[in-house]
Amino acid sequence: MASMRSIKRRKESVQSTQQITKAMKLVSTVKLQKARAGVEANSPYFEALYKTICSIMAKTLDLDNRFLKDGSQGRKALLVMSSNRGLAGGYNSNIVKLVDSYGFDKETTVIYGLGRKGIEGLRRRGYRIDRDESDIINAPLYNDCIALTKDLMSRFDAGEIDEIYVAYTDFRNTVTHVPTLRKLLPLSKEDFEQEQLDESEEDKNLQMNYGMSNSGIERDMVLFGSVMDHYHPEVKILDEIIPKYITNIIYGAFLEAIASENAARMQAMDSATENAQDMISSLELQYNRERQNTITQELTEIVAGAEALN
């Protein structure tokens, strides 16, 4: 049986840990709110890019564009977004499991590590990390995403990589975060939601017949190109807009990952705080029992001593 002093010390230690978990939960809550605001602020720009590409692809059947050709199923580049810190439940391990479950070739896959915990997990599974960009995940900026996109595009154009993917955690709500693997390049019509393409086709038909969109607003897209691109200006436009689209996907993935990380840490710290409270209650009960046993033993010794004197 543990002594009252050891029980008291353990209780104080658990209470100190509980204060830390409470503070970490509050910090994660504030960071989560900020991250969610960033996700919401980025959505309109992403939707505009998305619908523009859908509209262009719906207006054309076959485009000879470097970003729309099928890869040779050769070397792949993979951006893996995790966190630099632990204490976030299964957030980091779920990303590592997701990447490993897709069966990427460990020898030919070029991995950009965006988070130390993910890098550690992938290395333990035999993956080789080509780039360590973990510092970006602390406070990602749009310029960081532009630099990443330029680097990936240059390697894609040079033929060093044939396909580009990003692995991140999609933030649905405070309790639901889904590990997601998304293909960035090459693109195809199948990469866009069919209903978006169908809607763009419907808009195009309405505009051709009546000059109006289905919302009643005239919004026919006019594609301008140089004399050389006169017949296919959409090719040149896609060359300009797809890198911006990829950059925005990466930036959005950063925001989603940060929101998911803080939500996961908030949940983990909330569970830890509750577990600490249960442990404190158990230790208090154990302390009271030990205290009662001590008092009972002292009373017994006093009564026995009094009887011996008589």
Side-chain angles (χ1 to χ4, degrees), residues 12 25 46 88 93 138 149 154 178 195 200 224 254 270 305:
E12 291 173 350
K25 177 187 173 183
F46 173 79
S93 60
N138 292 328
T149 301
S154 63
V178 182
E195 57 267 24
S200 297
F224 292 96
F254 270 125
D270 185 53

Side-chain angles (χ1 to χ4, degrees), residues 305-310:
E307 290 179 353
L309 291 176
N310 294 333

Side-chain angles (χ1 to χ4, degrees), residues 268-285:
M269 292 302 100
D270 185 53
S271 298
T273 301
E274 292 180 358
N275 292 338
Q277 185 58 49
D278 293 340
M279 189 176 293
I280 290 170
S281 299
S282 177
L283 289 171
E284 285 178 347
L285 182 60

Side-chain angles (χ1 to χ4, degrees), residues 13 35 50-51 74 78 81 103 123 158 179 186 188 210 226 231 240 254 289:
S13 176
Y50 182 81
K51 290 180 179 179
L78 176 61
M81 298 183 180
R123 278 178 175 160
S188 66
Y210 306 106
S226 64
Y231 294 103
E240 295 293 332
F254 270 125
R289 285 177 178 174

Side-chain angles (χ1 to χ4, degrees), residues 55 59 203-204 207-208 211-213 217-223:
S55 179
K59 290 172 183 292
D203 284 348
K204 183 179 71 173
Q207 290 166 4
M208 289 176 60
M212 301 291 290
S213 69
I217 301 174
E218 184 175 358
R219 58 179 186 87
D220 190 19
M221 180 180 291
V222 180
L223 305 177

